[in-house]
Amino acid sequence: MKDRLRGMQQSLKRFNIDAMLVNKPENRRYLSGFTGTAGSLMIDNNKAYLFTDFRYVEQAKEQSPDFTLVQIGNDYYQKVLHLLQQRGLKKIGFETDFVTHESFAKLQQELSGIQLFPVKNITEELRLVKDMEEQQLLQKAVDIVDQAWSEILSIAKPGMTEEKLALELEFIMRRKGAEGRAFDFIVASGERGALPHGVASQKEMKPGELVTIDCGAVYNGYHSDMTRNFMLGKPNQKQQDIYNIVLEAQMAGVEAVRPGVPAATVDLAARNVIERHGYAQNFGHGTGHGVGLAIHEGPRVSFNEQLVLQPGMVLTIEPGIYLPGWGGVRIEDIVLVTESGGRVLTKTPKNQLPVI
């Protein structure tokens, strides 16, 4: 945590502010280790404070030893102002993408004499590159999904609803150590596979349908994300062909992951394959996204993302083809950027379309 705190303190100089207020839960956790649901950080060049109420005092002491704990009731703003005045701090940043207009108006009203500066992505930029501890936690979250996939294939069958399958999958992940699901699972069978975010419904899966599952686990705050497909019966030629095209595109995207290239280069590698096969209009989302304390974070892997990949970044590669009235296919792995290229953390096989 000390390295993360130092990183934030160095960023203050770059943003030309005296201190930063941090309220977004994943940013608060990243910088302090505090997992309580109510709290705020104030970080300046030399000191770091954690504000929380009576419920979380002992937890904060244990989880955030590098922070000075300030217990609050209804006097949060008064205590922040007192510390700012005491330390002679005038220019204070706040998270412009998280603080609501109402909260900002309250800050302006209560922090009299303090200059408030909207700051975007100051913590998120630090979170782009995962340290070794974060990489290990992400691998554990990935492993849980890998282990659950083999079990869910033995449970899935025609006549089962998508919701039932999603629920069984979540139960399996929790038994294997997940603290929760990373998002509402996508289980899209048959024609519903054309919905990129076809959250599990009450539709019954039928023989001859291709099923797409997009799922993830949370382990110690870190998220995994994987998409795989299976057939309820032998695939027809079109189902196999579409699967093979998406697989080719996904592997091309993974192969393009390496340090020093813009994220857009990875997107283009996958997108070119799908375009070459004539399905450019049926792949309308980015090829991937970063993953960590949030299920979607930087870097974006899209056609216009010029952020250069660095070792330690972790991202998904998930191209797809979606055909209204027919269905769809998406294949997704989590990939770690290393000094020599991309290392796929996801181990669930993908080279063959599973048949149930």
Side-chain angles (χ1 to χ4, degrees):
M1 292 296 170
K2 285 185 170 63
D3 287 342
R4 300 177 189 180
L5 191 54
R6 280 194 289 268
M8 170 58 83
Q9 289 169 332
Q10 291 170 2
S11 295
L12 298 179
K13 301 172 185 176
R14 183 161 55 88
F15 282 84
N16 194 30
I17 53 179
D18 297 329
M20 183 72 195
L21 295 175
V22 179
N23 292 286
K24 186 184 289 188
E26 54 265 38
N27 290 343
R28 187 176 65 219
R29 180 170 184 165
Y30 175 80
L31 292 166
S32 69
F34 179 63
T35 62
T37 58
S40 176
L41 309 181
M42 188 179 82
I43 300 170
D44 65 31
N45 284 317
N46 299 301
K47 293 278 288 184
Y49 300 90
L50 169 56
F51 302 85
T52 193
D53 62 55
F54 173 81
R55 297 170 297 168
Y56 298 105
V57 167
E58 294 305 315
Q59 178 181 341
K61 288 178 182 177
E62 180 180 347
Q63 293 182 329
S64 308
D66 297 324
F67 283 70
T68 298
L69 177 63
V70 181
Q71 184 175 334
I72 56 172
N74 295 322
D75 55 353
Y76 166 67
Y77 294 104
Q78 293 92 324
K79 288 190 173 178
V80 169
L81 181 59
H82 173 74
L83 283 171
L84 292 174
Q85 292 173 337
Q86 184 183 65
R87 296 186 58 74
L89 306 174
K90 295 290 187 181
K91 300 165 66 175
I92 310 305
F94 66 93
E95 295 166 310
T96 185
D97 61 336
F98 184 77
V99 174
T100 65
H101 183 271
E102 181 181 1
S103 296
F104 173 68
K106 186 71 172 175
L107 282 171
Q108 279 189 312
Q109 176 184 331
E110 298 291 342
L111 302 187
S112 177
I114 301 299
Q115 300 176 60
L116 296 173
F117 288 83
V119 175
K120 189 174 182 180
N121 294 335
I122 186 170
T123 309
E124 285 82 354
E125 289 179 6
L126 298 174
R127 287 169 47 205
L128 282 171
V129 175
K130 273 59 179 178
D131 60 31
M132 189 58 64
E133 178 185 359
E134 291 181 286
Q135 292 176 28
Q136 292 169 350
L137 292 172
L138 282 164
Q139 182 66 72
K140 180 61 177 177
V142 170
D143 291 345
I144 290 171
V145 175
D146 283 335
Q147 294 162 17
W149 178 256
S150 60
E151 290 192 28
I152 205 65
L153 288 181
S154 67
I155 295 173
K157 59 184 178 182
M160 177 181 282
T161 67
E162 295 171 348
E163 285 183 344
K164 173 68 171 175
L165 189 60
L167 187 60
E168 293 288 347
L169 183 55
E170 183 177 352
F171 285 161
I172 293 170
M173 289 184 185
R174 284 184 174 273
R175 287 197 297 267
K176 294 185 178 298
E179 63 192 58
R181 62 187 183 188
F183 49 88
D184 290 339
F185 292 167
I186 293 169
V187 180
S189 57
E191 292 184 5
R192 291 192 73 252
L195 304 173
H197 277 191
V199 174
S201 72
Q202 294 183 356
K203 176 188 176 298
E204 292 185 355
M205 300 180 294
K206 301 174 183 178
E209 289 186 330
L210 197 160
V211 182
T212 299
I213 297 183
D214 188 344
C215 59
V218 182
Y219 181 79
N220 202 13
Y222 284 80
H223 297 67
S224 59
D225 196 358
M226 182 187 83
T227 306
R228 288 294 188 271
N229 311 265
F230 65 84
M231 278 297 309
L232 292 170
K234 185 178 179 180
N236 60 38
Q237 191 61 53
K238 184 173 183 179
Q239 289 168 328
Q240 189 63 63
D241 288 346
I242 296 297
Y243 184 85
N244 290 342
I245 294 168
V246 174
L247 177 62
E248 181 185 351
Q250 202 268 346
M251 294 177 71
V254 171
E255 183 65 26
V257 174
R258 59 185 184 277
V261 303
T265 300
V266 178
D267 178 87
L268 189 62
R271 197 169 299 279
N272 281 347
V273 173
I274 291 175
E275 182 176 355
R276 187 171 70 248
H277 286 279
Y279 290 99
Q281 299 305 310
N282 303 102
F283 176 30
H285 59 72
T287 295
H289 55 85
V291 65
L293 284 169
I295 188 60
H296 293 106
E297 56 184 54
R300 294 180 304 113
V301 185
S302 64
F303 74 94
N304 60 353
E305 178 57 88
Q306 293 305 309
L307 182 70
V308 174
L309 299 184
Q310 303 175 49
M313 289 183 174
V314 178
L315 47 125
T316 68
I317 303 297
E318 50 178 306
I321 293 176
Y322 312 95
L323 303 173
W326 181 85
V329 171
R330 181 166 67 249
I331 302 172
E332 175 185 22
D333 291 328
I334 287 185
V335 181
L336 169 67
V337 183
T338 71
E339 295 287 352
S340 57
R343 176 159 63 86
V344 179
L345 303 185
T346 309
K347 299 298 188 295
T348 296
K350 61 186 176 184
N351 289 337
Q352 299 293 329
L353 176 59
V355 176
I356 297 174

